[in-house]
Amino acid sequence: MSLLKEPDFGTPERPGEATVSVEVDGLAVTVPQGTSVLRAAALAGVDVPKLCATDSLEAFGSCRLCVVEIDGRKGTPASCTTPVAEGMRVRTQTPRVAKLRQGVMELYLSDHPLDCLTCPANGDCELQDMAGVVGLRQVRYGYEGENHLAAEKDVSNPYFDFDPSKCIVCSRCVRACGEVQGTFALTIEGRGFDSKVSPGAGELFQDSECVSCGACVQACPTATLQERSVVDLGMPTRSVVTTCAYCGVGCSFKAELRGDELVRMVPYKDGGANEGHSCVKGRFAFGYATHPDRVMKPMVREKTTDPWREVEWDEAIATVATKLRDIQQRYGPGSIGAISSSRCTNEEVYVLQKMVRAAFGNNNVDTCARVCHSPTGYGLKQTFGESAGTQDFRSVARADVIMVIGANPTDAHPVFASRMKRRLREGADLIVIDPRRIDLVRSPHIEAAHHLQLKPSTNVAVINALAHVVVTEGLADNSFVAARCEGFEEWAEFVARPENSPEATEPITGVPAGELRAAARLYAQAPNGAIYYGLGVTEHSQGSTMVMGMANLAMACGNVGREGVGVNPLRGQNNVQGSCDMGSFPHEFTGYRHVADDTVRTVFENLWGRELLPKPGLRIPNMFDAAIDGDFRGLFVQGEDIAQSDPNLNHVTAALSSMELVVVQDLFLNETAKFAHVLLPGASFLEKDGTFTNAERRVNRVRAVMPPKTGKHEWQIICDLATAMGYPMAYDHPRQIMDEIAQVTPTFQGVSYELLDKLGSVQWPCNADAPEGTPTMHVDDFTRGKGRFVVTNYVPTDERTTSRFPLVLTTGRILSQYNVGAQTRRTGNVAWHAEDVLEVHPHDAEVRGIGDGDTVRLASRVGETTLRACVSDRMPPGVVYTTFHHPVTGANVVTTEISDWATNCPEYKVTAVQVALVHPLEAAATGAAEDDRLAVRD
Amino acid sequence: MSTTLPPESRMANDIARAFRHLPREQAIEAVAGHIGRFWDPRMRSRLTRFVDEGAEGIAPEVVAAVRLLMPRRESGTG
């Protein structure tokens, strides 16, 4: 594909049924009411010159280049700010407007460097284009007048340059920062000729509130804001549309290349999830794919103390196959298993679980979703009948009240957060339920109506109290409940009990009863109330109970089955939804169908030609326990770093150390690889062909931008291994794998690469009933028929604070880093977050003599680590917070074995800890030791 | 807060606590159903062994659920 340039209609679409017919340069066009003349002209095929207008932003009317003449109207109105009217006749090319446009361009160019041939935006500059379009042949003002050509360039940002000498002050960047991203970091400073774009109050970009989403760079019509990679490498020449491999939003990007060299990632306007927006990770942090740390050749070693030995693929595959079969012969067929990755494609995950079930001959396959969203799968299946969120992302634009529970979208799901913030700026109300004061609670033009700052581990008590208010104050949607649900009476009787009232739960949750009652009323009485949640819900001993509690609340208020409502998990990794859909759980085949279901199992047995086990296999924590017990001896880890991401790392590493064979398939020698005997090099998302499924059930194509640098696709590695183990598995192309998935999975029945290429993406269920997918689920009926209310008894966690461990640690994620950091730590993103820090409330810091930046020891009953303190009142007293992006910190050394009762999802969010100041001399020694360790590792 | 119970006993107790609001017989059925549906057979076997060896620290509902599961007891390897 050559370089893909998407059309720019100048101003945003104005959806609506009412239409208006107009004539532009003699061409008739009918457009929705409210459409601008500029957009109507573009839809008629007439390009009106423009500079300050672009269709991702509201019209601004400043450049005066899009002026037109309209019959019967005086003057030359700007077509971007003029809405169409019935019968309007527009002329876009007249001597009068031509003269005006030339005059405007002359003024612009009199204060613009004339270095087009050496400018990085040469060939991608709208100012250059417009000079040609208006037929500019002279600049009567000359170039010697007062100008901005000496303005200093800001190169502080790792990814883009800001060259104010090239700025035409069109405000597109400022508006993009506000309207698209919602950060409002940029402004126009000064007046008149002194007007200039400024990040913050005269700060450098890197020092400002800029979040480096790239919206300003995208919007800039000149080289003022320019990707550093374009400056360094030149303009790309071809595009490949693919899907980001970071969070569960699943943004579509144009990978723009010169030859096989990736120059930049540009958000794709037709991407269903992101519609042209991006965040700092997807837009810029792709350098890890070519990082020198990448492992390119398979490696083996007998013992983990031996040095690695590079081998050819055949030897590596044969080694793994022989050793796995040998372990099974000695310890039984159930002594080996595999962990699938939420970073891999659906096709890669599907063949992995197929290998386990058919070639290994057991059900010991689990996925990293075990440690994040497995309670979502359980809870939503129990209540709604389907293990997935109910809405598409666009739905939030119809929400009147948005309840965010245990999620931090601006850091962890930033592109969706921008959608949400747009709706909040339009007037939707916000309720935040979180122990931490996340940015959404109060940020530019946004303030939560209620922040229920609950104590960690009391989610279920809070959701029951909210439900108590709904039921006892007569706020339930009785007609919805009567028509669509079952089990309401028993549940209503339960939540109405006095012990579930806000007043009774206040001492447990710490949430003032009056505030909670007001929040419940706000949600229940909203025309559309939507719930969005994250790992602050699931990663608890009652994670599954809380998911069911939210589903109960939504059903009770009639907030399911249409746009603007629903219960929506914000998935952590790019393909959490997909890896779960693809049968990665040890008790389920694809499409969440239990292995004990004879009818379903027969389908797979017939297709795969093997008898399959009807009993569940081991989950990840069960594998670790079984390894320590000695009857689980071999593990294949696909693209996960369990020795950094999983809880109670001492237990994890003991389990890994006790196995005879650990196989790691990854881009890098990660922490888990320290315990591995075979390393199979993986392919980056730029080298993959397949699909990811995002948090809104959207199946997106992942297209290979370049061939695998390791010489083998990851799905081929699995097929080769299964074949070497005596179970032939072969496909010519991942499209055949998807065809097989569609063949055996009712919710994927209609999915094919042909359909995805045609529609761009599709949200499952996609089948005969919904040939183009299902944006909103449970519209007329729930998947299970009736929505099921489940009694959600609050059970306090076993993890309690004591005099020895008096604080509660909770963990989270930061914008610039991703998960265990294996990717983002190998990019320029380290400029923002070079280490994990511990947020400590000023009171807790003071009584411990801890100052901002001090090194502190963080200890729980299972382990301890050291890190730097950040004194912050984001957390309430008694609660501390950190991230787990850096292996040096090892935050999961202190997290415990406690897990969700239903799914064994770890309780990362609640660990009783103590924090103590490390003496400066000891801290210096520790720092030196860590430097040595890093030096050795690198 | 700390527990020295074997993982299977601890996890089974957690399941029992989640169903404690139910009438006893229903709770036992629910615990048995959950373990039967989601646990690897060897974990069930291990839990059964702990119950047989005295059920130390194991909730009564779990003990009863294990008895309920006994006719379906597995020796499988998963």
Side-chain angles (χ1 to χ4, degrees):
Chain A
M1 183 187 282
S2 58
L3 197 66
L4 181 60
K5 290 203 172 185
E6 297 142 287
D8 184 346
F9 296 95
T11 62
E13 189 181 6
R14 290 280 181 264
E17 290 183 8
T19 58
V20 173
S21 295
V22 299
E23 193 180 290
V24 182
D25 292 345
L27 298 169
V29 62
T30 300
V31 296
Q33 200 169 37
T35 301
S36 71
V37 169
L38 179 65
R39 186 179 179 92
L43 291 167
V46 176
D47 287 333
V48 179
K50 59 182 171 51
L51 274 173
C52 73
T54 185
D55 58 13
S56 61
L57 304 172
E58 291 299 323
F60 195 53
S62 81
C63 76
R64 309 303 297 172
L65 210 58
C66 71
V67 289
V68 294
E69 292 194 74
I70 300 172
D71 289 0
R73 294 199 185 186
K74 289 181 182 174
T76 52
S79 60
C80 64
T81 53
T82 306
V84 290
E86 186 62 37
M88 184 181 267
R89 296 176 68 184
V90 179
R91 285 174 294 140
T92 73
Q93 299 291 348
T94 67
R96 188 180 178 193
V97 296
K99 193 173 175 187
L100 283 169
R101 288 171 188 156
Q102 286 191 348
V104 167
M105 287 304 297
E106 283 185 88
L107 284 167
Y108 275 131
L109 292 182
S110 69
D111 185 12
H112 195 84
L114 298 177
D115 61 350
C116 290
L117 292 181
T118 55
C119 176
N122 188 15
D124 189 27
C125 173
E126 293 181 41
L127 186 68
Q128 191 181 41
D129 294 344
M130 289 306 110
V133 164
V134 304
L136 193 68
R137 297 293 176 264
Q138 61 174 343
V139 175
R140 289 168 291 165
Y141 309 107
Y143 305 100
E144 291 77 31
E146 195 176 354
N147 59 53
H148 301 85
L149 301 185
E152 199 172 338
K153 197 187 277 191
D154 175 355
V155 294
S156 61
N157 187 283
Y159 296 120
F160 59 85
D161 295 343
F162 172 53
D163 184 352
S165 73
K166 295 184 172 174
C167 181
I168 60 170
V169 201
C170 64
S171 289
R172 275 166 61 163
C173 56
V174 177
R175 290 182 286 142
C177 190
E179 292 177 31
V180 178
Q181 166 57 26
T183 293
F184 297 89
L186 303 183
T187 188
I188 299 292
E189 188 181 274
R191 305 288 296 271
F193 187 78
D194 293 331
S195 300
K196 61 178 185 180
V197 170
S198 175
E203 299 166 293
L204 295 174
F205 261 86
Q206 189 65 359
D207 300 332
S208 74
E209 292 177 351
C210 167
V211 292
S212 298
C213 67
C216 58
V217 180
Q218 180 77 355
C220 181
T222 70
T224 308
L225 285 156
Q226 186 72 59
E227 297 94 344
R228 184 86 40 78
S229 58
V230 172
V231 176
D232 292 344
L233 301 171
M235 270 296 154
T237 56
R238 67 183 182 99
S239 313
V240 178
V241 176
T242 189
T243 304
C244 179
Y246 280 116
C247 78
V249 176
C251 296
S252 296
F253 278 89
K254 294 181 293 180
E256 296 193 344
L257 303 103
R258 291 168 65 91
D260 280 343
E261 186 169 31
L262 182 62
V263 177
R264 64 181 175 184
M265 298 288 284
V266 179
Y268 188 43
K269 281 164 74 171
D270 284 342
N274 58 319
E275 296 181 302
H277 191 36
S278 59
C279 79
V280 62
K281 295 188 285 286
R283 178 75 153 95
F284 297 116
F286 51 82
Y288 71 88
T290 50
H291 195 278
D293 283 357
R294 278 262 320 253
V295 180
M296 299 299 184
K297 297 269 289 181
M299 299 193 295
V300 301
R301 58 185 177 183
E302 273 303 308
K303 302 192 295 290
T304 56
T305 49
D306 292 343
W308 285 108
R309 182 170 63 85
E310 284 191 355
V311 296
E312 296 302 320
W313 276 107
D314 287 350
E315 183 181 343
I317 298 288
T319 301
V320 177
T322 304
K323 291 193 172 190
L324 287 175
R325 281 291 187 234
D326 176 57
I327 290 170
Q328 285 188 301
Q329 280 199 341
R330 287 184 287 125
Y331 298 100
S335 58
I336 63 172
I339 298 172
S340 77
S341 172
S342 294
R343 298 182 206 175
C344 289
T345 64
N346 286 320
E347 293 76 2
E348 290 161 348
V349 170
Y350 177 84
V351 294
L352 182 90
Q353 60 91 33
K354 179 177 177 179
M355 174 180 76
V356 171
R357 300 187 201 281
F360 289 11
N362 62 45
N363 284 321
N364 293 334
V365 61
D366 205 1
T367 173
C368 57
R370 172 67 53 209
V371 300
C372 66
H373 265 290
S374 51
T376 289
Y378 179 87
L380 295 184
K381 182 93 170 176
Q382 292 289 317
T383 47
F384 295 164
E386 192 59 271
S387 299
T390 58
Q391 311 297 122
D392 62 358
F393 288 145
R394 288 191 189 104
S395 167
V396 77
R398 300 285 183 93
D400 300 298
V401 170
I402 299 169
M403 189 182 283
V404 177
I405 310 178
N408 186 6
T410 53
D411 278 52
H413 304 89
V415 172
F416 173 70
S418 291
R419 279 183 190 271
M420 182 185 280
K421 289 196 290 187
R422 190 179 311 153
R423 182 59 184 157
L424 293 170
R425 290 196 304 275
E426 288 170 353
D429 286 310
L430 173 67
I431 300 165
V432 173
I433 303 179
D434 201 299
R436 187 164 176 260
R437 195 183 69 241
I438 58 173
D439 282 349
L440 268 184
V441 172
R442 187 175 166 81
S443 60
H445 302 284
I446 289 170
E447 183 157 19
H450 305 285
H451 176 203
L452 308 186
Q453 198 167 17
L454 76 175
K455 294 176 184 171
S457 83
T458 64
N459 282 334
V460 173
V462 167
I463 207 77
N464 286 345
L466 290 167
H468 176 94
V469 177
V470 170
V471 168
T472 58
E473 295 189 8
L475 302 175
D477 185 338
N478 293 323
S479 59
F480 179 91
V481 168
R484 305 272 319 259
C485 306
E486 63 187 20
F488 178 76
E489 297 302 326
E490 186 191 356
W491 173 78
E493 184 277 321
F494 163 74
V495 295
R497 290 178 194 165
E499 65 263 31
N500 289 320
S501 72
E503 290 73 21
T505 54
E506 181 176 333
I508 299 166
T509 64
V511 177
E515 186 87 13
L516 190 144
R517 281 188 181 275
R521 291 169 192 144
L522 185 64
Y523 172 77
Q525 293 176 326
N528 285 332
I531 295 174
Y532 292 87
Y533 71 95
L535 305 183
V537 161
T538 54
E539 291 177 344
H540 283 93
S541 62
Q542 281 202 289
S544 292
T545 310
M546 180 60 182
V547 173
M548 293 188 289
M550 294 184 304
N552 290 336
L553 185 68
M555 288 190 290
C557 298
N559 278 330
V560 185
R562 63 182 184 278
E563 281 191 287
V565 298
V567 180
N568 304 284
L570 296 172
R571 307 280 188 163
Q573 302 201 55
N574 51 315
N575 202 31
V576 174
Q577 182 70 57
S579 71
C580 299
D581 300 341
M582 290 299 103
S584 284
F585 289 133
H587 66 286
E588 284 174 336
F589 291 116
T590 60
Y592 305 98
R593 293 160 303 154
H594 202 279
V595 293
D597 185 322
D598 292 339
T599 308
V600 173
R601 202 173 60 258
T602 302
V603 169
F604 286 90
E605 287 179 336
N606 289 340
L607 186 67
W608 293 352
R610 282 284 194 279
E611 193 176 334
L612 304 174
L613 291 182
K615 299 288 183 189
L618 295 169
R619 297 167 171 174
I620 293 172
N622 311 147
M623 292 180 192
F624 297 151
D625 294 336
I628 288 171
D629 280 349
D631 60 0
F632 188 80
R633 313 291 293 186
L635 179 63
F636 186 104
V637 186
Q638 180 191 44
E640 280 302 311
D641 195 2
I642 51 178
Q644 189 184 342
S645 64
D646 283 37
N648 194 358
L649 283 184
N650 291 333
H651 183 69
V652 174
T653 55
L656 290 170
S657 301
S658 66
M659 291 187 213
E660 290 186 22
L661 180 68
V662 174
V663 183
V664 168
Q665 179 177 308
D666 206 285
L667 299 178
F668 304 105
L669 277 169
N670 59 17
E671 296 300 300
T672 309
K674 290 176 180 168
F675 305 91
H677 307 84
V678 179
L679 193 291
L680 303 176
S684 80
F685 79 110
L686 297 170
E687 300 149 39
K688 287 179 189 279
D689 216 334
T691 55
F692 291 151
T693 307
N694 74 355
E696 49 171 1
R697 296 170 278 102
R698 186 182 300 280
V699 185
N700 268 315
R701 279 284 276 123
V702 182
R703 295 183 178 87
V705 168
M706 56 189 75
K709 292 178 179 297
T710 59
K712 206 174 268 291
H713 290 289
E714 291 195 21
W715 58 268
Q716 288 175 323
I717 299 171
I718 307 297
C719 290
D720 289 353
L721 177 56
T723 302
M725 292 181 75
Y727 179 75
M729 241 165 79
Y731 303 91
D732 295 326
H733 190 274
R735 74 171 63 242
Q736 295 171 338
I737 304 173
M738 180 52 78
D739 290 344
E740 184 173 317
I741 294 165
Q743 188 183 342
V744 294
T745 314
T747 46
F748 273 68
Q749 200 175 52
V751 179
S752 67
Y753 282 18
E754 290 72 24
L755 185 77
L756 294 173
D757 288 341
K758 181 180 153 203
L759 300 181
S761 61
V762 70
Q763 290 173 267
W764 68 260
C766 174
N767 47 32
D769 293 336
E772 295 198 350
T774 310
T776 306
M777 292 196 76
H778 317 300
V779 172
D780 296 317
D781 295 296
F782 285 91
T783 302
R784 66 182 300 279
K786 295 275 190 185
R788 176 181 169 227
F789 282 92
V790 177
V791 171
T792 53
N793 204 29
Y794 168 63
V795 178
T797 176
D798 276 344
E799 184 72 4
R800 310 276 168 81
T801 53
T802 62
S803 56
R804 195 170 157 218
F805 301 109
L807 304 173
V808 174
L809 168 72
T810 188
T811 60
R813 188 184 283 188
I814 199 165
L815 171 68
S816 58
Q817 296 289 335
Y818 176 70
N819 205 266
V820 295
Q823 294 141 289
T824 43
R825 280 186 284 107
R826 292 178 170 93
T827 69
N829 281 24
V830 290
W832 289 279
H833 187 80
E835 60 181 335
D836 295 318
V837 297
L838 185 74
E839 287 186 17
V840 187
H841 188 273
H843 173 76
D844 295 322
E846 187 178 357
V847 297
R848 289 167 177 78
I850 295 168
D852 203 49
D854 282 347
T855 301
V856 295
R857 179 174 294 108
L858 174 70
S860 75
R861 61 184 163 81
V862 301
E864 67 176 48
T865 185
T866 56
L867 67 174
R868 224 177 287 277
C870 170
V871 178
S872 162
D873 65 357
R874 277 178 179 264
M875 308 300 300
V879 183
V880 293
Y881 167 90
T882 191
T883 50
F884 61 103
H885 303 307
H886 290 267
V888 167
T889 314
N892 283 319
V893 168
V894 299
T895 52
T896 72
E897 76 290 347
I898 293 181
S899 64
D900 173 46
W901 67 270
T903 66
N904 289 136
C905 179
E907 191 170 52
Y908 288 108
K909 302 302 183 189
V910 187
T911 306
V913 295
Q914 178 58 292
V915 178
L917 180 67
V918 175
H919 190 278
L921 288 177
E922 189 187 344
T926 306
E930 282 174 358
D931 288 346
D932 290 347
R933 183 184 155 205
L934 283 171
V936 168
R937 205 183 48 176
D938 292 345
Chain B
M1 69 183 175
S2 170
T3 174
T4 53
L5 286 176
E8 292 80 7
S9 303
R10 172 174 49 80
M11 291 188 289
N13 284 351
D14 289 344
I15 295 166
R17 288 202 299 171
F19 292 118
R20 197 159 281 169
H21 62 282
L22 295 173
R24 181 176 159 75
E25 291 310 311
Q26 281 183 40
I28 292 166
E29 280 283 347
V31 173
H34 190 90
I35 289 174
R37 190 165 177 80
F38 294 105
W39 280 29
D40 178 279
R42 83 188 84 174
M43 294 167 62
R44 289 167 50 178
S45 300
R46 205 172 285 127
L47 179 64
T48 304
R49 196 178 80 227
F50 297 143
V51 169
D52 290 345
E53 290 172 353
E56 188 182 347
I58 299 176
E61 298 91 336
V62 174
V63 175
V66 168
R67 304 279 181 233
L68 207 61
L69 284 166
M70 281 180 83
R72 299 174 244 165
R73 189 187 295 192
E74 301 291 333
S75 59
T77 50

